[in-house]
């Protein structure tokens, strides 16, 4: 059974924030949007605020024939708490790496 809402459907829709990933035009290497951080190859970390919920996404992006960069479905999303915990654990771990970088591989 649905709970009755005191807000009208139009006001609830207007209150929603657009996602960082709703940018259907993509971007180029020369104009990386705010809150997008290139991690190497086609991988980006993106901090998004959607519906008043903050998330950190690690996502594979693809480049089209016009040089525009778009997100793919390949990736993961973390809450800030989980992200901070992961970063702390990685800093405390002695991960074997020749370059000192973490490589994200798509499946």
């Amino acid at each position: 059974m649905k709970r009755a809402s005191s807000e009208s459907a139009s006001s609830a829709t207007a209150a929603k924030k657009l996602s960082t990933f709703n940018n259907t035009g993509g971007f180029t290497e020369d104009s990386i949007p705010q809150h997008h951080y290139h991690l190497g190859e086609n991988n980006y970390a993106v901090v998004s605020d959607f519906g008043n919920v903050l998330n950190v996404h690690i996502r594979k992006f693809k480049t089209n024939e016009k040089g525009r960069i778009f997100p793919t479905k390949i990736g993961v999303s973390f809450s800030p708490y989980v992200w901070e915990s992961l970063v702390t654990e990685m800093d405390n771990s002695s991960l074997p790496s020749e370059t000192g970088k973490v490589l994200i591989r798509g499946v």
Side-chain angles (χ1 to χ4, degrees):
M1 176 179 229
K2 276 189 162 179
R3 185 181 299 195
S5 173
S6 60
E7 294 184 41
S8 70
S10 62
S11 67
T13 304
K16 286 185 180 177
K17 292 177 112 180
L18 291 177
S19 169
T20 305
F21 293 119
N22 282 348
N23 179 2
T24 57
F27 60 92
T28 64
E29 286 185 16
D30 297 334
S31 63
I32 297 174
Q34 185 178 15
H35 308 297
H36 284 60
Y37 303 93
H38 188 226
L39 301 176
E41 297 184 19
N42 292 324
N43 302 304
Y44 286 83
V46 180
V47 179
S48 71
D49 179 11
F50 177 69
N52 293 326
V53 176
L54 191 66
N55 279 301
V56 177
H57 304 265
I58 305 295
R59 189 151 311 278
K60 180 76 74 178
F61 281 65
K62 65 178 179 178
T63 305
N64 71 6
E65 63 280 350
K66 295 180 180 179
R68 307 285 303 167
I69 301 169
F70 296 90
T72 68
K73 293 181 180 181
I74 300 169
V76 294
S77 178
F78 302 102
S79 69
Y81 174 78
V82 172
W83 174 253
E84 185 176 358
S85 299
L86 177 65
V87 169
T88 300
E89 285 301 316
M90 289 176 68
D91 284 344
N92 292 335
S93 300
S94 55
L95 298 173
S97 171
E98 293 175 13
T99 63
K101 297 180 181 178
V102 175
L103 177 63
I104 299 170
R105 299 184 63 103
V107 182

